Amino acid sequence: MRRLAFVLLASTCSVANAAPQFNSLFSDHAVLQRNRPIAVWGMAAPGERLSVSIAAVARSATADAKGNWRVELPPMKAGGPFELSASSASGRVTAGDILVGDVWLCSGQSNMELPVSRGLDSWNQTQSANDPELRVVTIPHVSGSAVKATIEAPIKWQAITPQTVGDFSAACYYMVRDLRRSQKVPIGAINASWGGTPIRSWLDETGAAATGGDDYDQLKLFRRDPTAANKAFGENWAAWWRTKTGNKPGQEPWNASDRLNWAAVPRITYWEQWGDRKFADFNGMVWMRKRFTLTPAEAAKEATISLSVIDELDETFVNGVAVGGSYTWEAPRNYRIPAGVLRAGNNEVLVNVSDGSGAGGLSGPADQVKLTLADGTVKPLGEGWQYSVVAQAPSGAPQAPWDSAQGLTAIYNGMIAPLRDYGLTGVAWYQGEADVGRPGSYADPLGAMMRGWRAQFRQPELPFLIVSLANFGPSASKPVVSGWADLRDQQRLGVGRDANAALVIAMDLGERLDIHPANKIELGSRLARAAEARAYGSSTPVGPEVVGARRTANGIEVEFKGVTGALQTWSGTRALAFELCGTTQKSCRYADAVASGANVRLVDDGKPVTRVRYAWADTPVTNLYDEAQLPPGPFEVPVN
C-alpha cells in the first residue's frame, strides 16, 4: 500500500485580545451541509461574547476559559455564495464565497488517497474539470495518542479546476462529480485518508475498547507506563518470532546475533541506494546491527536512541531488550532506553526492518543515528553498521497498538475527531488492504467505526459507502485459501448488519500486479450510485447482493437481491468462480453454474455440500453481472 504524500503548512490559533477566528474548516470557499443545523466553532479571547452570522441570520456565543466557542446556526437550503462572519469587541473575521449544499467525507487508506493525477485517463479528466460549485479539501496526515481539538495544519477549500483537481482523491472526486450531475446542488468533499493504515487506527475510543481486546489493554498500559508497555510488547514480538522461526529462547538474533551471517552496511541510506544489485529493488526483512562501547558513567544513565526514518516496520532491541518499534515510512525513530539496559563496555543495538514496497531500511543521514544520554551527551552511531538478510521472512509481525500510524485510535484522534460535528451527507470508506491476513474479525471493527463516527457527527443514520477491496495478487486455478477474499467477505458481513451502509464492489476493477488500480472513474460511478440509494432515496439497486443458498430438486440455488434486470454471464453460458464446499478447505471444488433471473443454479455433484463460495481468490476471474453491468462481490454462505 504505497503511500501518497500530501504536504500542507502548520496552523496557528488566535490569542487573547485578538479578533475572533474560525476553525480552519470554515474558510473561504467552504461548503456547509444543507437542511440541518450548521455547527460553527473557533477561537476568541477567553470569556469574550461574539455574534456569528450568515445570510442575515445570527447567533451569539461566549468563548470559554480556553477561548473556544461554538454556535449552531439554523438549517439552510442549498444556495450561495454567502459570507460567514464572527464579530466581537475585539474585531471581526469573515469567510467568503461560502456555499450551502451537500458535504461528503471520503476516508481510508491509499486507494482512497490516490490522486486524480495518478488515475486512469488523468490528462483528459483533469483538463475537463471545471466546476465552481464543487469544492474539495484535504486533511493532512496527523495522528495522536489523544483526541486533538483542531486540525493541526491550515487547510484550504478549493473549487474544482484543472489546477486543483490533480492532487485530490480520485475515487472521491469522481463520486462527487457524478453526484453534482444528479443532485444539482453545491457539493463539498473532504478527503481524510492515509495510505497503509489499518482500521483500528480509525476507531474512536469507544470502538477501540469494544473491539481492541488485548491491544486495547496494552494501549491503556502504554498511557500509564510506556516503559512497561514496550517491554510487554517486546515479549509478544519475541514470542511471535520464536513461533514463526523455531528459535529456542536464547537463540534469537537479539540474544545471539553472532549466529547470523553479517555484511558491512555501505552507508546509512535506504538500502536501494547502496549501489548493491541485490538491493536495487529489494522488499523483505533485514536485521541491522551496530556495536558500541560506553564508560561505566555513561552506561548508568537513561538514554534515547535515534535511528532516523525507517521504511517501514521495525522492532528495535538494545542488549537484547526491546525498546521500541513502529510502522511508518515518515517518522524518525527515537526510542527511550531505560536505566539498567546499557552496559559498561560493549553494547549492541539490533534492528529488525521489514519493507513491503519502495525504499527500505534506515534513511539516514548518518549524523541522525545516535545515542543521546540523559545529560545531553551525544554518542554518534552512524558508522560501522552490519546487515543480515532474513532468507525466509516470517509474516504477520505484531504492531504496537500505540503506533503513530498503525495504533488504536491514533489517526481518528488526529484526522477525524477534529472535524467534530461538521455537517455531512455521508461517508465513503475505502480501506482494508492493511488488514488482509490479520487475525480476528474485520466486520466488528467496521461496525464499531461506523457507530463511533455517527456519534461524533451527531447523525445516527449517517450513510456509509464501503468499497469492497479490488482484485490484487494471484489468480487461482483451483480453490484456494485467500486472505483478500476473506476480507471482502468480512466487509460484506459488516455492511449487511447496517441498514444505512452500502457495499460497492471493486473486485473487477483492480490490477493483478498493482495494489493501486487506476480505474477510479468507474469506482466513482458505483459510489455515486450507492450514494443515491442510501443518501438520496433512489430506488435504483446498488448491485447484486447474495441472499443465501438452498438445496432444491434441481441443484443448489443461490439467490440474489439488488439485481437490475436479470443476471447474465459475459463471454460464456456458465458463471465462473462458484465453489461447492464441505466442511474443509480441501473439500471445495469449482461448480457448474447457470444464471437465471436473479438466481444462479449450481449443479449438485453428489459430494457433501455445506456452503457455497464465490470469487474466492485474491484476483478472481468472474463473468457474472446484472443488466446495469454491476457484479456481485465475493461471499461464503451456508447451504440451507
Side-chain angles (χ1 to χ4, degrees):
M1 293 132 280
R2 186 39 77 192
R3 26 295 173 172
L4 312 168
F6 298 90
V7 180
L8 293 120
L9 302 175
S11 80
T12 59
C13 292
S14 64
V15 295
N17 301 319
Q21 287 189 4
F22 289 121
N23 182 276
S24 55
L25 283 167
F26 305 97
S27 59
D28 293 346
H29 319 302
V31 181
L32 305 177
Q33 179 61 44
R34 62 173 169 155
N35 300 334
R36 60 173 283 115
I38 300 171
V40 181
W41 60 91
M43 296 289 291
E48 187 164 36
R49 189 163 180 80
L50 62 154
S51 176
V52 180
S53 64
I54 187 172
V57 175
R59 293 292 186 269
S60 61
T62 301
D64 67 16
K66 294 183 179 180
N68 298 296
W69 59 263
R70 179 186 181 277
V71 300
E72 199 167 274
L73 299 169
M76 297 177 64
K77 294 181 179 180
F82 302 106
E83 180 183 83
L84 179 67
S85 69
S87 303
S88 72
S90 300
R92 183 171 183 265
V93 64
T94 63
D97 189 31
I98 303 295
L99 298 179
V100 177
D102 289 341
V103 181
W104 282 87
L105 173 59
C106 298
S107 190
Q109 57 180 111
S110 55
N111 267 307
M112 182 60 84
E113 197 174 21
L114 186 134
V116 170
S117 62
R118 283 186 52 186
L120 184 69
D121 194 32
S122 61
W123 192 89
N124 287 318
Q125 298 296 329
T126 298
Q127 297 310 303
S128 62
N130 198 344
D131 187 346
E133 293 196 350
L134 178 54
R135 314 282 179 82
V136 298
V137 63
T138 297
I139 307 300
H141 291 174
V142 179
S143 65
S145 57
V147 166
K148 294 185 180 293
T150 189
I151 299 164
E152 292 191 339
I155 57 176
K156 185 179 181 181
W157 282 94
Q158 295 178 304
I160 285 294
T161 68
Q163 291 72 43
T164 61
V165 73
D167 289 336
F168 191 70
S169 161
C172 191
Y173 166 66
Y174 292 124
M175 176 187 75
V176 294
R177 184 188 68 175
D178 284 6
L179 291 176
R180 274 280 294 138
R181 294 168 178 169
S182 65
Q183 303 308 311
K184 298 178 173 55
V185 298
I187 291 183
I190 302 171
N191 175 31
S193 304
W194 192 333
T197 54
I199 193 169
R200 71 178 188 171
S201 296
W202 299 90
L203 296 172
D204 71 348
E205 189 76 14
T206 300
T211 65
D214 291 343
D215 281 348
Y216 186 65
D217 292 337
Q218 290 184 45
L219 177 62
K220 290 192 295 182
L221 174 61
F222 181 81
R223 290 168 176 170
R224 299 191 308 270
D225 187 343
T227 300
N230 268 314
K231 180 181 178 182
F233 178 77
E235 292 169 354
N236 291 344
W237 199 96
W240 164 81
W241 175 268
R242 287 190 290 267
T243 299
K244 291 287 187 175
T245 65
N247 281 170
K248 302 294 183 183
Q251 298 178 344
E252 312 96 325
W254 57 93
N255 285 320
S257 65
D258 285 339
R259 293 168 61 93
L260 303 181
N261 296 317
W262 295 97
V265 170
R267 60 187 182 278
I268 297 297
T269 61
Y270 292 128
W271 53 55
E272 276 85 350
Q273 299 170 10
W274 287 351
D276 186 331
R277 290 184 179 180
K278 298 191 300 294
F279 286 94
D281 191 26
F282 176 79
N283 298 314
M285 180 181 286
V286 175
W287 285 100
M288 300 185 73
R289 178 174 78 171
K290 166 67 178 173
R291 287 174 167 169
F292 57 96
T293 61
L294 296 174
T295 68
E298 291 170 335
K301 297 179 173 65
E302 291 186 358
T304 297
I305 189 165
S306 301
L307 299 170
S308 75
V309 172
I310 296 178
D311 188 36
E312 53 202 32
L313 174 63
D314 78 288
E315 184 64 17
T316 297
F317 300 83
V318 174
N319 295 332
V321 177
V323 296
S326 188
Y327 179 96
T328 173
W329 45 92
E330 297 171 314
R333 306 308 204 268
N334 297 290
Y335 299 135
R336 176 178 171 270
I337 302 175
V341 173
L342 297 173
R343 304 167 181 160
N346 294 326
N347 291 263
E348 179 180 84
V349 55
L350 204 70
V351 185
N352 181 277
V353 182
S354 292
D355 175 49
S357 61
L362 278 65
S363 71
D367 61 7
Q368 292 187 13
V369 182
K370 57 192 176 183
L371 184 76
T372 304
L373 303 178
D375 63 2
T377 301
V378 174
K379 307 284 289 186
L381 298 179
E383 304 292 338
W385 283 79
Q386 298 174 299
Y387 73 87
S388 179
V389 175
V390 181
Q392 295 182 329
S395 61
Q399 294 171 19
W402 50 85
D403 189 277
S404 61
Q406 296 277 312
L408 276 167
T409 77
I411 299 177
Y412 169 86
N413 290 338
M415 295 178 66
I416 302 301
L419 303 179
R420 296 174 60 172
D421 56 341
Y422 199 90
L424 300 177
T425 296
V427 177
W429 175 253
Y430 191 168
Q431 187 277 336
E433 298 94 337
D435 288 286
V436 171
R438 289 178 183 255
S441 165
Y442 182 89
D444 291 343
L446 178 61
M449 186 198 75
M450 291 190 286
R451 289 191 298 272
W453 290 24
R454 285 171 177 146
Q456 173 188 316
F457 289 105
R458 303 185 185 187
Q459 296 181 244
E461 297 180 350
L462 182 68
F464 273 78
L465 316 177
I466 309 300
V467 179
S468 174
L469 292 186
N471 45 309
F472 169 70
S475 298
S477 59
K478 61 181 180 180
V480 295
V481 174
S482 169
W484 286 78
D486 184 67
L487 196 286
R488 295 179 190 120
D489 196 42
Q490 285 287 310
Q491 291 174 314
R492 177 186 70 87
L493 294 171
V495 169
R497 301 170 184 171
D498 194 308
N500 296 299
L503 190 66
V504 177
I505 304 303
M507 71 168 184
D508 60 328
L509 303 179
E511 300 289 342
R512 185 169 60 88
L513 302 177
D514 189 349
I515 201 169
H516 299 125
N519 188 1
K520 297 298 192 284
I521 301 171
E522 174 61 19
L523 177 62
S525 176
R526 293 181 185 180
L527 280 164
R529 184 185 182 102
E532 289 165 4
R534 291 295 182 270
Y536 296 106
S538 170
S539 60
T540 302
V542 174
E545 302 174 58
V546 69
V547 174
R550 59 189 179 90
R551 191 183 302 275
T552 72
N554 297 318
I556 308 297
E557 198 82 10
V558 182
E559 181 184 356
F560 294 87
K561 64 180 180 179
V563 177
T564 298
L567 293 171
Q568 50 192 351
T569 52
W570 292 0
S571 301
T573 60
R574 295 293 188 266
L576 302 175
F578 280 90
E579 300 176 26
L580 294 172
C581 298
T583 56
T584 66
Q585 164 63 30
K586 290 183 178 180
S587 68
C588 293
R589 62 272 185 197
Y590 291 127
D592 190 17
V594 179
S596 177
N599 295 346
V600 174
R601 181 175 57 81
L602 311 183
V603 175
D604 191 343
D605 59 6
K607 297 179 182 179
V609 179
T610 61
R611 55 202 164 100
V612 171
R613 298 198 311 194
Y614 174 67
W616 208 265
D618 295 2
T619 297
V621 177
T622 61
N623 65 342
L624 184 65
Y625 290 81
D626 67 8
E627 292 179 20
Q629 300 187 9
L630 296 172
F635 60 80
E636 179 180 81
V637 294
V639 175
N640 296 317

